Amino acid sequence: MAQESPKNSAAEIPVTSNGQLEDSHEHGFNRDLKCSLPVGLGLSETKITSHGFDGAKEGVEAGQFPSSSASPKSSVISPSSAAASRLAGQGCDLIIPTGGRAQQKSGPVVLADEVKNPAMEKLELVRKWSLNTYKCTRQIISEKLGRGSRTVDLELEAQIDILRDNKKKYENILRLAQTLSTQLFQMVHTQRQLGDAFADLSLKSLELHEEFGYNADTQKLLAKNGETLLGAINFFIASVTTLVNKTIEDTLLTVKQYESARIEYDAYRTDLEELNLGPRDANTLPKIEQSQQLFQVHKEKYDKMRNDVSIKLKFLEENKVKVLHNQLVLFHNAIAAYFAGNQKQLEQTLKQFHIKLKTPGADAPSWLEEQ
């Protein structure tokens, strides 16, 4: 034949007596092997095997080419150890341009950063939390034992103490107002029942018709005025409850965050002071620098929380004065008008504060809706 088959050209590579290629023919073997592979040859047609470099069995098995007229029997070529290592490494990096699927059979397994990062981040968060908790606990114990120093803002601390004391007093007013509302409701309910009983007796006792009738009208009027006063008291209770349990409580929540930031600030300040008192060498300087950075971070957090508390206390004072002024005027006018028997003034007080009373039985469904 005019052109030798790739199989014959590869089979004529000389080998030594121990089955290894001569070093002078290594480059020629690689060149002849690359030339012998046709374009578009898939991995299924060429297989590179390596069973170890102990000389027992290693080689390149070349399958039959589709265009070759040679026999299907494959030839086994035993190259040197260096050439087999290079070929095995190249076999893992082959790229199939015709869309064939390459399978990597060997090579080290490397974990991606995405797999390791979440676990490392959680571990780092736990470490930081443990260290921060330890420092803050040590600072709290030192303060209670009188050994550690604490940062105190005298003006802000005084405002916080006044706020907490006022909250306790407002809660006491709420309890008393709720007791008054409960007792007034029971009295109104009794007056209404008493008025119904007088009205029934005025119809059945002809000789005492007028006397029973007067008392029935009086008790019904008192019950009506009592319901009006009860509406004003309940409105006062609802407004003060919102002020105490929402507005003041929200400010106290910010105060708790401020106190936590203050403890952290003092803990890292104490830690930095202890490091500065110690020796300065190559081992301690990085620790001092890191402690200085952490101290600066917590100092900024402490300053921010102190500013937030000051602003909230200012707005709370303005809101508290406005709300309590209106509610105290309502409570006073309603109580005075009720016990003075001034029904018009009592109703005018409720209209002034836009209080709508619920008509008894208004929420009950009609007999048509019940069917």
Side-chain angles (χ1 to χ4, degrees), residues 15-16 21 55 215 236 244 265 278 330 343:
V15 296
T16 60
L21 266 174
N215 283 277
F236 170 81
V244 173
Y265 166 72
L330 165 68
Q343 181 181 359

Side-chain angles (χ1 to χ4, degrees), residues 29-153:
F29 170 75
N30 291 332
R31 183 178 63 254
D32 294 340
L33 182 61
K34 292 181 179 179
C35 295
S36 65
L37 293 178
V39 178
L41 183 61
L43 286 180
S44 60
E45 300 174 4
T46 300
K47 181 170 65 175
I48 301 174
T49 60
S50 177
H51 301 280
F53 300 107
D54 55 352
K57 183 180 179 181
E58 60 178 333
V60 180
E61 294 183 6
Q64 183 179 1
F65 298 112
S67 61
S68 176
S69 60
S71 61
K73 183 178 180 180
S74 60
S75 299
V76 179
I77 304 171
S78 300
S80 66
S81 301
S85 301
R86 288 196 297 271
L87 288 175
Q90 293 176 359
C92 299
D93 301 330
L94 285 178
I95 302 175
I96 308 304
T98 58
R101 184 175 61 185
Q103 297 181 355
Q104 183 172 348
K105 297 183 179 180
S106 62
V109 178
V110 180
L111 294 177
D113 293 339
E114 304 83 88
V115 179
K116 296 188 294 184
N117 277 344
M120 296 300 294
E121 289 177 358
K122 290 181 180 179
L123 185 61
E124 183 66 17
L125 288 176
V126 171
R127 188 188 68 82
K128 289 182 179 179
W129 176 83
S130 302
L131 183 61
N132 186 71
T133 304
Y134 166 73
K135 291 180 180 294
C136 294
T137 305
R138 185 183 63 177
Q139 177 66 24
I140 293 173
I141 295 175
S142 299
E143 291 178 3
K144 290 185 177 181
L145 294 177
R147 299 175 181 176
S149 61
R150 64 187 300 263
T151 304
V152 179
D153 189 333

Side-chain angles (χ1 to χ4, degrees), residues 328-340:
L328 290 174
V329 170
L330 165 68
F331 191 83
H332 171 268
N333 292 344
I335 293 291
Y338 173 78
F339 285 99

Side-chain angles (χ1 to χ4, degrees), residues 217-370:
D217 293 340
T218 301
Q219 293 299 323
K220 289 181 180 179
L221 181 61
L222 289 174
K224 181 180 179 181
N225 292 341
E227 291 175 354
T228 306
L229 176 62
L230 190 62
I233 293 176
N234 289 336
F235 185 77
F236 170 81
I237 292 174
S239 299
V240 178
T241 299
T242 302
L243 175 65
V244 173
N245 295 337
K246 290 186 178 180
T247 309
I248 296 180
E249 191 64 30
D250 178 70
T251 304
L252 289 177
L253 180 61
T254 307
V255 170
K256 291 180 181 179
Q257 296 174 355
Y258 158 74
E259 291 176 347
S260 298
R262 197 273 308 165
I263 292 175
E264 291 180 353
Y265 166 72
D266 284 336
Y268 284 91
R269 175 183 56 80
T270 304
D271 190 27
L272 180 60
E273 290 175 354
E274 292 177 355
L275 290 175
N276 287 329
L277 292 176
R280 291 176 174 268
D281 52 19
N283 294 328
T284 59
L285 284 179
K287 295 181 180 180
I288 295 175
E289 183 178 356
Q290 183 181 8
S291 179
Q292 179 68 34
Q293 293 175 357
L294 293 174
F295 167 75
Q296 189 64 29
V297 170
H298 287 86
K299 183 178 184 302
E300 293 176 357
K301 180 181 178 181
Y302 167 72
D303 293 337
K304 179 181 179 300
M305 293 306 304
R306 181 175 58 182
N307 187 38
D308 292 346
V309 170
S310 300
I311 293 174
K312 282 202 171 186
L313 286 174
K314 180 180 179 181
F315 283 121
L316 174 63
E317 187 66 22
E318 296 176 357
N319 189 25
K320 181 190 69 174
V321 171
K322 181 179 179 181
V323 170
L324 288 181
H325 171 75
N326 294 333
Q327 296 304 317
L328 290 174
V329 170
L330 165 68
F331 191 83
H332 171 268
N333 292 344
I335 293 291
Y338 173 78
F339 285 99
N342 193 342
Q343 181 181 359
K344 292 183 179 180
Q345 181 65 29
L346 184 60
E347 293 177 353
Q348 186 65 29
T349 300
L350 267 67
K351 290 180 180 179
Q352 179 182 357
F353 290 90
H354 307 285
I355 301 174
K356 294 183 179 180
L357 299 178
K358 292 183 179 180
T359 305
D363 296 336
S366 62
W367 65 274
L368 289 175
E369 295 175 347
E370 293 177 352

